[in-house]
């Protein structure tokens, strides 16, 4: 696991074990706030040791940016903390999350000690958290998933964007139009850094171009899928490459190629299904999609 200090009080951790998923620690005079908790207990416990032994602090709040297991599984290792999330995140964790955890436990010994921790503080649009001298502004940001949020550390102007910002936009468990709107909203403010849900930290000078490039990717993908369907192509996944849409295959150690193909499949399904059919297919499809965080699938 990599650890990076981005300001006096903010640290970012990046997993070596699962898809470069990130977590953040913000240190205040009244304790620490942990934004996401990673997937493997081994790494979550290393973060806890760093906070308690290295910083001499304790986690007061855990923020779940959305329900996906690679962001929430470690929450149970901070039993004294309050857990904050979007209302939908709590609902999804209580149902599909519970079932998914059972499957994870059956998949290997790493997760035997893990239990489900449900958020006990939830919100819908926006929530402001103050701890010590630090103010956190949490805001809904749907698209990657319906329950996604972003968290701004005010003053430092560091945005924990979670999976709203990834090396490529990924909306298979959410909705591409919502993601476009959420990304466009990020252009309304300047940030010192954006911490992506996976991969490298985005620096001040790179923020605007990164968001615009993500929006271009989404537009290109939608246009490409619509045109391919119009032309009755049978090889749509091969027909629209990542490079066509301005992204590189090497991002996230190549995982992005799979994410790109899953995006295409999701759009094909969306464009082909009349709205009434889409509604009934959605729950069945999302059952399958939520498997993504498990390591065997990437
Ligand atoms: Zn996610």
């Amino acid at each position: 696991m990599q650890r990076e200090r981005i300001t006096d009080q903010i640290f970012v951790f990046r997993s070596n074990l699962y898809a470069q998923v990130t977590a953040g620690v913000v240190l205040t005079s009244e304790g620490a706030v942990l934004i996401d908790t990673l997937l493997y207990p081994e790494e979550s416990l290393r973060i806890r040791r760093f906070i308690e032994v290295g910083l001499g602090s304790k986690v007061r709040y855990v923020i779940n940016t959305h329900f996906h297991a690679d962001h929430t599984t470690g929450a149970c290792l901070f039993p004294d903390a309050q857990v904050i999330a979007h209302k939908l995140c709590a609902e999804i964790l209580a149902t599909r999350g519970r079932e998914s955890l059972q499957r994870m436990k059956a998949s290997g010994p790493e997760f035997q000690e893990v239990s489900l921790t449900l958020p006990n503080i939830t919100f819908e649009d926006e929530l402001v958290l103050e701890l010590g001298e630090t103010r956190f502004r949490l805001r809904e940001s749907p698209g990657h998933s319906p329950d996604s949020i972003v968290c701004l550390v005010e003053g430092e102007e560091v945005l924990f964007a979670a999976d709203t910002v990834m090396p490529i936009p990924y909306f298979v468990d959410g909705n591409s139009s919502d993601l476009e709107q959420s990304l466009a909203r990020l252009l309304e403010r300047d940030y010192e850094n954006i911490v992506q849900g996976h991969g490298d930290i985005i620096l001040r000078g790179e923020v605007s171009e990164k968001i615009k490039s993500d929006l271009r990717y989404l537009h290109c993908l939608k246009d490409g899928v619509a045109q391919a369907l119009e032309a009755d192509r049978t090889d749509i996944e091969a027909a629209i490459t990542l490079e066509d849409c301005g992204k590189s295959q090497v991002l996230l150690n190549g995982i992005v190629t799979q994410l790109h193909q899953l995006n295409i499949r999701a759009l094909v399904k969306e464009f082909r299904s009349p709205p009434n059919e889409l509604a009934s297919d959605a729950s069945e499809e999302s059952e399958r999609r939520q498997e993504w965080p498990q390591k065997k699938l990437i």
Side-chain angles (χ1 to χ4, degrees), residues 13-15 18-23 36 38 66 68 70-71 144 161-168 170 194-202 210 252 255-256 259 292-293 298:
F13 297 82
R14 191 165 53 246
S15 175
Y18 184 80
Q20 297 177 33
V21 60
T22 63
D36 283 341
L38 306 187
H66 60 300
H68 285 160
D70 49 338
H71 298 260
H144 169 74
D163 287 358
T164 295
V165 183
M166 289 178 54
I168 66 166
Y170 183 61
I194 288 186
V195 180
Q196 307 187 83
H198 298 258
D200 293 334
I201 295 166
I202 300 162
K210 161 66 180 160
L252 220 53
I255 294 170
V256 287
L259 302 185
W292 182 68
I298 59 166

Side-chain angles (χ1 to χ4, degrees), residues 48-274:
R48 193 173 87 185
R49 264 198 305 279
F50 173 74
I51 295 167
E52 293 178 358
V53 180
L55 300 177
S57 187
K58 205 164 168 37
V59 173
R60 294 276 307 278
Y61 294 94
V62 168
I63 295 172
N64 287 341
T65 60
H66 60 300
F67 75 95
H68 285 160
D70 49 338
H71 298 260
T72 54
T73 302
C76 64
L77 301 168
F78 300 87
D80 299 329
Q82 312 247 47
V83 181
I84 306 176
H86 193 279
K87 186 167 169 268
L88 283 175
C89 177
E91 290 173 11
I92 298 171
L93 280 174
T95 53
R96 286 156 48 187
R98 196 181 297 277
E99 291 158 18
S100 168
L101 181 61
Q102 292 311 319
R103 286 195 292 275
M104 277 164 62
K105 285 189 174 216
S107 76
E110 304 98 319
F111 300 108
Q112 289 317 310
E113 303 304 316
V114 170
S115 59
L116 184 69
T117 299
L118 293 177
N120 62 322
I121 300 173
T122 62
F123 67 98
E124 289 189 73
D125 304 327
E126 190 173 85
L127 178 142
V128 174
L129 169 71
E130 288 186 20
L131 187 64
E133 66 295 346
T134 307
R135 182 196 280 250
F136 303 79
R137 189 172 293 274
L138 283 59
R139 196 180 71 200
E140 65 172 358
S141 184
H144 169 74
S145 63
D147 61 333
S148 282
I149 61 170
V150 295
C151 172
L152 175 69
V153 185
E154 287 191 350
E156 303 284 7
E157 300 304 297
V158 172
L159 183 78
F160 286 88
D163 287 358
T164 295
V165 183
M166 289 178 54
I168 66 166
Y170 183 61
F171 52 82
V172 168
D173 228 352
N175 176 285
S176 62
S177 302
D178 287 349
L179 185 53
E180 270 181 64
Q181 284 181 25
S182 292
L183 283 166
R185 206 168 164 195
L186 298 185
L187 290 170
E188 292 169 5
R189 186 167 179 145
D190 292 328
Y191 303 103
E192 282 300 322
N193 296 108
I194 288 186
V195 180
Q196 307 187 83
H198 298 258
D200 293 334
I201 295 166
I202 300 162
L203 307 176
R204 183 189 177 86
E206 305 165 338
V207 167
S208 166
E209 181 45 37
K210 161 66 180 160
I211 304 297
K212 287 176 184 164
S213 141
D214 284 354
L215 286 167
R216 283 196 299 271
Y217 169 85
L218 287 173
H219 296 156
C220 168
L221 198 64
K222 282 181 159 179
D223 287 351
V225 170
Q227 282 167 22
L229 286 174
E230 187 76 34
D232 275 335
R233 288 191 68 152
T234 52
D235 57 343
I236 299 180
E237 282 175 44
I240 310 161
T241 67
L242 264 172
E243 284 79 2
D244 290 340
C245 296
K247 298 288 186 185
S248 159
Q249 286 187 27
V250 302
L251 293 166
L252 220 53
N253 294 335
I255 294 170
V256 287
T257 305
Q258 269 176 288
L259 302 185
H260 175 67
Q261 284 168 0
L262 291 168
N263 279 339
I264 292 175
R265 242 179 269 172
L267 277 179
V268 167
K269 196 172 171 71
E270 181 188 323
F271 289 171
R272 276 193 175 142
S273 307

